[in-house]
Amino acid sequence: MAAMRYLNAKLAQQIDEELMSAAGAFSLDQLMELAGLACAQTLATVYNKEKYPRVLVCCGPGNQGGDGLVAARHLGMFGYKPTIWMPKPGSKEIYKRLQQQCTNMKIQTLEPSQDTQSLRTALASSDVILDAIFGFSFKPPVRAPFDAALPLIAQSGLPIVSVDVPSGWNVDLGKVDDLALNPDVLVSLTAPKEGVRQFKGRHFLGGRFVPKTLEEKFQLNLPEYPGISQIVELPRADGSADSQKL
Amino acid sequence: MAAMRYLNAKLAQQIDEELMSAAGAFSLDQLMELAGLACAQTLATVYNKEKYPRVLVCCGPGNQGGDGLVAARHLGMFGYKPTIWMPKPGSKEIYKRLQQQCTNMKIQTLEPSQDTQSLRTALASSDVILDAIFGFSFKPPVRAPFDAALPLIAQSGLPIVSVDVPSGWNVDLGKVDDLALNPDVLVSLTAPKEGVRQFKGRHFLGGRFVPKTLEEKFQLNLPEYPGISQIVELPRADGSADSQKL
């Protein structure tokens, strides 16, 4: 079978647009729901709620922040105690709705603030981080307040689950910035991006919504998802046996 | 722990509206996606794709037909071979989008037709039926073409998985109509309805999106979902041991 395709930033953008075009027919609500669910399922697969109940969900200003909000809600449903840090909420109406849904789940969102004090406090009382700050549309450099936040997150020593592209990584080139996070777990969405080819941790794929027609058109050669799961674990980049497969 | 609440038609309607109100903040796209996913997961949990690959997804003209379309897409993702029978597609724009998504998955939709010939043919080449015809907003009597379709579905002898309320059942009173289907499996959405209290088959609950605030307000006393699953199996109505629990 042909090898799975890694997407550069331009192609990732093109596929995203096609999914939501008249031909693809998906709404942002649908895709974000399934993407966020896959993120929550990945975190819960690796970090159980008994030992890691307190999840700090770090959300960026774009669509990946929305994935984070959806994930936070599902993590709440799974029995975790998530807290949301979203210092620069995007202006789209959907983020307000997703945040309201979290509020209805009694999930706390830290007050937006340009200083990092609330983040410091939250890190000190968290067990694991979901990094939904930057995704495939990230263009360097890392801007405030995230330039101050990424080192704090790294220094916390907490395990990190990154969504799609670890925050601070170049989507095409990988980990070339000193500010870049070094996550333990990665959940790629739709298909993995060029920059994460050398990622060494546990790597999952989510976004079980790519229709056959689109998979063929872009020759994605996606792996088979197991059973009714929304995620599939990928073999490690170092070629070691995938002994930890789902 | 207090007993799980069964909803009458009026209360089910009220909760549905509240989920999609400004306070609930859910979009129809989100709820339908999670509901349809739960339906697909239920069918796949009971009827494996090796023995029951060909699923005839029967869709009504309302929102439950939309749940059916979402379920058909996910069943396609899971490796089943679904076919859609939707003789009276609803007029909402969302049904067209959901159907297009199925087309992109190479899932066939039978030509809408007022006679039952295409349904007869499809039944003869199916292994299991997903009944997404009528839901909690159904008001008797069963109208054409469904009055002719329900007996054909019943006579096919195929196993039936019904969504929320078995088609033809009275939402509040249960199986009081001769046309009512007699499904093997039921997946209730949000919370079970009054009319299905006496349902004797395997009974699942889906719709893991009810926020804590709403669950408390309506005293739903929902059971705990296991792990990261979108469905939970309920004890049988006859009180027998739930030996087949997930």
Side-chain angles (χ1 to χ4, degrees):
Chain A
M1 192 185 151
M4 179 175 56
R5 185 165 188 183
Y6 285 72
L7 310 179
N8 61 30
K10 193 178 155 189
L11 192 54
Q13 178 67 32
Q14 193 181 337
I15 289 175
D16 205 47
E17 284 168 10
E18 185 136 337
L19 282 166
M20 287 188 279
S21 69
F26 277 104
S27 68
L28 181 60
D29 278 58
Q30 283 182 291
L31 297 179
M32 218 171 244
E33 192 63 36
L34 295 175
L37 179 59
C39 296
Q41 291 189 337
T42 298
L43 188 142
T45 297
V46 181
Y47 300 104
N48 68 68
K49 67 184 172 191
E50 287 74 26
K51 202 170 162 195
Y52 302 90
R54 302 169 302 174
V55 186
L56 183 60
V57 181
C58 297
C59 296
N63 279 348
Q64 186 160 116
D67 297 339
L69 292 174
V70 172
R73 168 164 44 84
H74 284 292
L75 287 167
M77 288 284 168
F78 297 166
Y80 288 81
K81 296 185 194 319
T83 299
I84 296 163
W85 180 68
M86 193 176 196
K88 292 182 80 171
S91 57
K92 279 189 200 161
E93 174 259 355
I94 190 173
Y95 304 129
K96 293 196 182 65
R97 281 195 287 112
L98 294 174
Q99 208 163 338
Q100 177 67 41
Q101 291 162 22
C102 286
T103 302
N104 293 345
M105 280 294 293
K106 304 184 179 177
I107 296 170
Q108 193 201 353
T109 300
L110 302 176
E111 279 302 309
S113 147
Q114 291 303 307
D115 77 54
T116 52
Q117 190 50 50
S118 67
L119 176 61
R120 282 173 203 269
T121 309
L123 285 167
S125 55
S126 295
D127 302 306
V128 57
I129 290 167
L130 184 66
D131 158 32
I133 298 179
F134 299 127
F136 68 77
S137 52
F138 169 69
K139 302 244 179 346
V142 177
R143 292 179 180 77
F146 301 105
D147 55 346
L150 293 188
L152 287 176
I153 291 171
Q155 289 154 23
S156 73
L158 295 172
I160 299 173
V161 178
S162 283
V163 178
D164 207 29
V165 182
S167 290
W169 288 37
N170 184 295
V171 182
D172 292 337
L173 305 175
K175 196 169 181 297
V176 293
D177 190 314
D178 288 344
L179 285 175
L181 292 181
N182 195 18
D184 307 89
V185 178
L186 176 65
V187 50
S188 290
L189 296 172
T190 307
K193 310 304 171 294
E194 275 290 352
V196 307
R197 271 189 193 272
Q198 299 310 318
F199 175 71
K200 294 287 192 297
R202 288 184 73 176
H203 190 179
F204 294 78
L205 180 67
R208 198 176 184 177
F209 47 61
V210 180
K212 290 195 170 72
T213 48
L214 199 143
E215 185 180 348
E216 289 165 6
K217 176 177 173 181
F218 290 99
Q219 297 176 297
L220 299 180
N221 303 315
L222 296 174
E224 202 170 325
Y225 284 76
I228 62 174
S229 177
Q230 292 297 299
I231 52 174
V232 53
E233 185 159 7
L234 303 175
R236 297 221 179 199
D238 60 8
S240 72
D242 41 5
S243 57
Q244 301 197 62
K245 215 160 185 174
L246 280 184
Chain B
M1 193 183 149
M4 180 174 57
R5 186 165 188 184
Y6 285 72
L7 310 179
N8 62 29
K10 193 179 156 190
L11 192 54
Q13 178 67 30
Q14 193 181 339
I15 290 175
D16 205 47
E17 284 168 10
E18 185 136 337
L19 282 166
M20 288 190 279
S21 70
F26 278 104
S27 68
L28 182 60
D29 279 58
Q30 284 182 290
L31 297 179
M32 218 171 245
E33 192 63 35
L34 294 175
L37 178 58
C39 297
Q41 291 188 338
T42 298
L43 187 143
T45 297
V46 182
Y47 300 104
N48 69 67
K49 67 184 172 192
E50 287 74 26
K51 202 169 161 195
Y52 302 90
R54 301 169 302 174
V55 185
L56 183 61
V57 180
C58 297
C59 296
N63 279 349
Q64 186 161 115
D67 297 340
L69 293 174
V70 172
R73 167 163 45 83
H74 284 291
L75 287 167
M77 288 283 169
F78 297 166
Y80 289 82
K81 297 188 194 316
T83 298
I84 296 163
W85 180 69
M86 193 176 196
K88 292 182 80 172
S91 56
K92 278 189 199 162
E93 174 258 357
I94 190 172
Y95 304 129
K96 293 195 181 65
R97 283 195 286 111
L98 294 175
Q99 207 164 339
Q100 176 68 41
Q101 291 162 23
C102 286
T103 302
N104 293 346
M105 280 296 292
K106 304 184 178 177
I107 296 169
Q108 193 202 353
T109 300
L110 301 177
E111 279 302 312
S113 147
Q114 292 303 309
D115 77 56
T116 52
Q117 191 50 51
S118 66
L119 176 62
R120 281 172 203 270
T121 309
L123 285 167
S125 55
S126 295
D127 302 305
V128 56
I129 290 166
L130 183 66
D131 158 33
I133 297 178
F134 298 127
F136 68 78
S137 52
F138 169 69
K139 301 247 181 343
V142 176
R143 291 179 180 77
F146 302 105
D147 55 345
L150 293 188
L152 287 176
I153 292 171
Q155 289 154 22
S156 74
L158 295 172
I160 299 174
V161 178
S162 283
V163 178
D164 208 30
V165 182
S167 290
W169 288 38
N170 185 296
V171 182
D172 292 335
L173 305 176
K175 195 169 182 297
V176 292
D177 190 317
D178 288 343
L179 284 176
L181 292 181
N182 195 18
D184 304 273
V185 178
L186 177 66
V187 50
S188 290
L189 297 173
T190 309
K193 310 306 171 292
E194 275 291 353
V196 307
R197 271 188 194 273
Q198 299 310 319
F199 174 71
K200 295 286 193 299
R202 289 184 71 177
H203 190 179
F204 294 77
L205 180 66
R208 200 176 182 178
F209 48 61
V210 180
K212 289 194 170 70
T213 48
L214 198 143
E215 184 180 349
E216 288 165 7
K217 176 176 173 180
F218 290 98
Q219 299 175 295
L220 299 180
N221 303 315
L222 296 174
E224 202 171 327
Y225 285 76
I228 62 174
S229 176
Q230 292 296 299
I231 52 174
V232 53
E233 186 159 5
L234 303 174
R236 298 224 179 197
D238 60 7
S240 71
D242 41 6
S243 58
Q244 301 197 60
K245 215 162 187 172
L246 281 183

